[in-house]
Structure formats: C-alpha cells, structure tokens
Amino acid sequence: KQEVTQIPAALSVPEGENLVLNCSFTDSAIYNLQWFRQDPGKGLTSLLLIQSSQREQTSGRLNASLDKSSGRSTLYIAASQPGDSATYLCAVNSGYSTLTFGKGTMLLVSP
Amino acid sequence: DAGVIQSPRHEVTEMGQEVTLRCKPISGHNSLFWYRQTMMRGLELLIYFNNNVPIDDSGMPEDRFSAKMPNASFSTLKIQPSEPRDSAVYFCASNAHSYEQYFGPGTRLTVT
C-alpha cells in the first residue's frame, strides 16, 4: 500500500526566502505526482503535475522535482510572499488515476 | 468552465438522519472521485468512477455510505444513517485522461 509522507508538517519563514517542501513515497511504481495548494476552508488547487518519466516541472516561482527511484519529490518556492501562505499537499498516482495524499505542509510566510 | 461544483457547501444534521452530497464534474471529464478530509486521517479516497461506472469503492467506510453516478454530469454520495464520526469535509474531483485532478470546493458536514 502506497504511503506518502511530507516534511516538515509546518514551516514559518519571512517574506523573500526561498524554501523547499519535501514529499516521500514508499512505492516507486508511480504514474505521476501532483502538488496541490489548499487555503483554509477551501478546496484544493492543482499547482504542478509531474509524470513519472519527468524529472521536474516549473510554473512561475514554483519548481517541483521528482526522483522516482528514491521515492522523493520536492517543491521549491522562490522568493516567498505572504500570499503563498497555505497548506501544500503532495499526492501520488499509483494507477487508475487514484491519488494517495500526504498530510501536507502548512506554510506561513510573514511580511 | 465553472470547475467542479458541489452542493451543499455546508450541512449540519442530527445523528441518524440521511445526508446526500452532490457533485457536478467538469464537462468532458470521464473520471470522478469522492474524497473525505479529516484532521486525523487527512485526505482519503472513498470511491472512483470511470465513465459513470464505479471502479474502486474500497475506501467507502461501511455500508452506510453509498455513491451513484447516473450520468456524466452528476454524482451523489449518500450517508444513511449518519453518525458524528462522519463529520468531515467531503471533496469531489474530476479528471480527463491527463490524470491531473481538479477539485471542487468541498462540503463541510457536521453530524451532531
């Protein structure tokens, strides 16, 4: 059974810092990995999708990497802003489109 | 596109009552997913439909939970009878063949 772990559970940084969120998974036989953002009381917003054949994906200040063999992914956020404050969720697709989620990293960026 | 639409957004009910949650997926998407989110367990997949057919319902907690998808634009998740431990946020998501899932805003269910 696939298990997804996210470290750290919470992170607080001052505005402008570059930061890295970590995600690890136990079964490397994945189809893809998706990073989401969730604001308090809201739904999930898809940030990046990395296919198993890819090493990284970039969108604006966000860069996600994937090392399938070691069961790891990182989400890099450059020049963080207070508007980046949210919970970031990593989800692994191990087949048939079903996602297994980590518990998330709660990020707070202070001005 | 309006995105995935869920209703109601909030539901408060008493233990023992029937609860029905509704979802309209994004037009053209052929897969629909129901998830439940709690503080203790995080996000868990309950059931998954492909082309309106249930494919994997192994996440449905027990027989009190049932889900239907009568057509490509509508799905329901029903809890009967409801219990306080069912209190959670229930999300519906859909996707097409790209596998990128799009989530609705969720229904916050409180069972007293």
Side-chain angles (χ1 to χ4, degrees):
Chain A
K1 178 185 173 184
Q2 180 74 268
E3 294 182 3
V4 180
T5 303
Q6 290 188 246
I7 295 173
L11 182 62
S12 181
V13 300
E15 181 177 7
E17 275 203 7
N18 302 324
L19 56 99
V20 175
L21 308 181
N22 296 291
C23 171
S24 61
F25 46 94
T26 55
D27 186 349
S28 62
I30 68 170
Y31 284 80
N32 58 53
L33 183 145
Q34 201 167 348
W35 282 93
F36 293 88
R37 167 186 173 138
Q38 185 175 27
D39 293 284
K42 304 290 186 181
L44 279 68
T45 300
S46 179
L47 298 174
L48 290 164
L49 173 73
I50 311 177
Q51 300 290 355
S52 61
S53 59
Q54 297 175 318
R55 297 284 293 182
E56 65 179 279
Q57 279 283 351
T58 298
S59 176
R61 294 183 294 108
L62 305 180
N63 176 276
S65 68
L66 174 64
D67 184 344
K68 199 173 72 164
S69 60
S70 68
R72 293 181 181 179
S73 176
T74 62
L75 180 67
Y76 175 82
I77 302 177
S80 58
Q81 303 171 358
D84 295 330
S85 298
T87 295
Y88 291 80
L89 294 157
C90 167
V92 171
N93 177 359
S94 300
Y96 302 105
S97 290
T98 59
L99 294 177
T100 303
F101 282 84
K103 293 285 183 68
T105 294
M106 187 181 301
L107 173 66
L108 176 63
V109 182
S110 52
Chain B
D1 197 316
V4 176
I5 299 172
Q6 291 187 248
S7 65
R9 294 293 310 278
H10 302 274
E11 177 79 37
V12 180
T13 190
E14 292 184 348
M15 183 174 63
Q17 296 298 306
E18 177 180 294
V19 175
T20 299
L21 311 181
R22 297 173 176 79
C23 175
K24 177 179 168 56
I26 293 173
S27 177
H29 282 188
N30 63 334
S31 296
L32 183 141
F33 309 82
W34 282 99
Y35 292 91
R36 179 171 66 177
Q37 185 176 39
T38 61
M39 289 292 293
M40 288 296 295
R41 300 174 67 90
L43 263 163
E44 300 175 292
L45 177 71
L46 298 177
I47 188 169
Y48 152 53
F49 292 87
N50 184 254
N51 293 324
N52 312 337
V53 176
I55 303 299
D56 181 1
D57 65 355
S58 59
M60 296 286 263
E62 46 200 275
D63 292 345
R64 297 184 298 107
F65 285 69
S66 62
K68 295 182 179 179
M69 191 165 186
N71 56 62
S73 60
F74 184 65
S75 177
T76 59
L77 177 67
K78 186 176 294 186
I79 308 172
Q80 166 63 21
S82 58
E83 296 182 2
R85 60 191 169 121
D86 302 330
S87 297
V89 181
Y90 291 80
F91 288 104
C92 176
S94 69
N95 75 353
H97 302 292
S98 66
Y99 297 115
E100 185 169 9
Q101 290 192 20
Y102 295 88
F103 279 68
T107 295
R108 183 173 296 277
L109 173 65
T110 302
V111 183
T112 60

